[in-house]
Amino acid sequence: MIMEKERAIQCVPVELLERLKALSAKLWEDRNPTSVHLNAILEEFEPDMKALSNTIKEYEAEYSSRVASSQSKFEQKEARLKKEAEDLRARLAAAERSLSEALKKNEELKSTFNEREALLAELRMKTSEDEGALNARYVARMQELYEKVNKKELEMLARWEDKNKAVEAKLQDLDGDYAAKVKQLKMREMALEEDFNARKADLIKTFDRIRAGLEAKEKELAEREEGRPAKGGTL
């Protein structure tokens, strides 16, 4: 089966086709052979024109459907954008109100700050004046205290010197008493040592005398023992 060659399709005005058909009919009435060729051409392309007409109708229907869908989407998008725009306008209005309130609050804070700055400057000035007066009173008071302390220190120094002199005199007396007592103790120690030596010499002499007496008695007893006859012997 031989497939028909696909033709290039170009849109042709309907009025042109109607006029070609009218021309073909007129030529047919005039017995003009050209009408045969013209009718053959019109008949040859009539299916394509019908198919093109159907295609155009389908395209128009599809286009209408797509346009309707796009229109619906556009309307939905437009409604959403309008709502977003309304929300943005509401937020903008709220932001403007907040900004206005913030600016008003800022002005109030500036006013309060300026008032406090003025009060602080006044307080600083007064504090500076009070500080000068306090410094003067402090210097005078310190001078007075210094004089009192200096006077007390001099009095305490004089009393301390008097006490020191009394202590030194007492120490000298104590040193004299101590030296005398030390001398007495040394003399007493010497006397005790001499007495001890004398007693020691007497004891040694007494011991020697007692030992000599004991030795004499022992000797006498020994001699008696030698001169005594034996037991059971001649009387």
Side-chain angles (χ1 to χ4, degrees):
M1 181 178 180
I2 300 174
M3 296 182 63
E4 294 182 357
K5 185 178 179 181
E6 186 177 356
R7 297 187 179 93
I9 298 174
Q10 185 175 3
C11 294
V12 178
V14 177
E15 184 180 356
L16 176 60
L17 293 175
E18 295 296 333
R19 290 176 67 181
L20 288 173
K21 288 180 180 180
L23 177 60
S24 176
K26 186 176 181 181
L27 291 173
W28 179 261
E29 290 176 357
D30 293 341
R31 305 290 181 174
N32 192 335
T34 307
S35 64
V36 177
H37 296 289
L38 182 57
N39 284 329
I41 292 171
L42 291 174
E43 289 176 358
E44 180 182 357
F45 287 97
E46 186 175 3
D48 292 333
M49 288 187 290
K50 289 182 179 179
L52 180 60
S53 177
N54 293 332
T55 301
I56 291 173
K57 289 180 181 179
E58 292 175 357
Y59 177 77
E60 287 178 349
E62 182 181 359
Y63 179 76
S64 298
S65 176
R66 291 173 63 184
V67 168
S69 177
S70 298
Q71 183 69 23
S72 176
K73 291 180 180 179
F74 174 77
E75 290 176 355
Q76 293 177 0
K77 186 175 182 180
E78 184 181 13
R80 186 176 70 254
L81 291 175
K82 285 182 178 180
K83 187 176 183 305
E84 291 179 357
E86 290 295 330
D87 293 340
L88 289 174
R89 280 194 289 270
R91 291 171 62 184
L92 180 61
E96 289 178 351
R97 287 194 300 272
S98 299
L99 178 60
S100 177
E101 293 176 358
L103 291 174
K104 183 178 179 181
K105 185 68 175 178
N106 190 26
E107 290 297 328
E108 293 176 356
L109 290 174
K110 283 183 179 179
S111 177
T112 304
F113 178 76
N114 292 331
E115 291 177 359
R116 291 188 178 181
E117 281 291 323
L119 183 61
L120 183 60
E122 183 180 357
L123 182 61
R124 285 175 179 171
M125 184 180 296
K126 186 176 180 181
T127 302
S128 178
E129 294 175 355
D130 293 341
E131 185 178 359
L134 287 174
N135 286 334
R137 290 175 60 187
Y138 174 77
V139 171
R141 182 62 176 170
M142 288 300 295
Q143 183 65 28
E144 182 181 355
L145 290 174
Y146 176 76
E147 292 176 356
K148 288 183 178 180
V149 170
N150 191 23
K151 184 178 179 181
K152 287 183 178 180
E153 286 181 351
L154 292 174
E155 292 176 354
M156 290 176 65
L157 181 61
R159 288 197 299 269
W160 182 81
E161 289 179 350
D162 293 339
K163 288 182 179 180
N164 191 25
K165 289 178 181 179
V167 169
E168 287 180 355
K170 190 172 183 179
L171 286 174
Q172 289 178 358
D173 294 338
L174 290 174
D175 288 339
D177 294 340
Y178 177 75
K181 287 182 179 181
V182 168
K183 186 176 181 180
Q184 290 177 1
L185 288 172
K186 285 184 178 180
M187 292 177 66
R188 186 175 180 183
E189 184 180 355
M190 290 175 64
L192 289 173
E193 187 176 358
E194 291 176 356
D195 182 65
F196 173 76
N197 291 331
R199 289 176 180 272
K200 182 179 179 181
D202 291 341
L203 288 173
I204 291 172
K205 289 178 180 180
T206 302
F207 178 75
D208 290 339
R209 188 172 58 253
I210 292 171
R211 186 177 62 181
L214 290 173
E215 288 177 352
K217 286 182 178 182
E218 287 178 356
K219 185 177 180 181
E220 183 180 355
L221 287 173
E223 290 176 352
R224 287 180 181 180
E225 288 292 332
E226 289 177 357
R228 181 182 296 177
K231 187 177 181 181
T234 304
L235 295 175

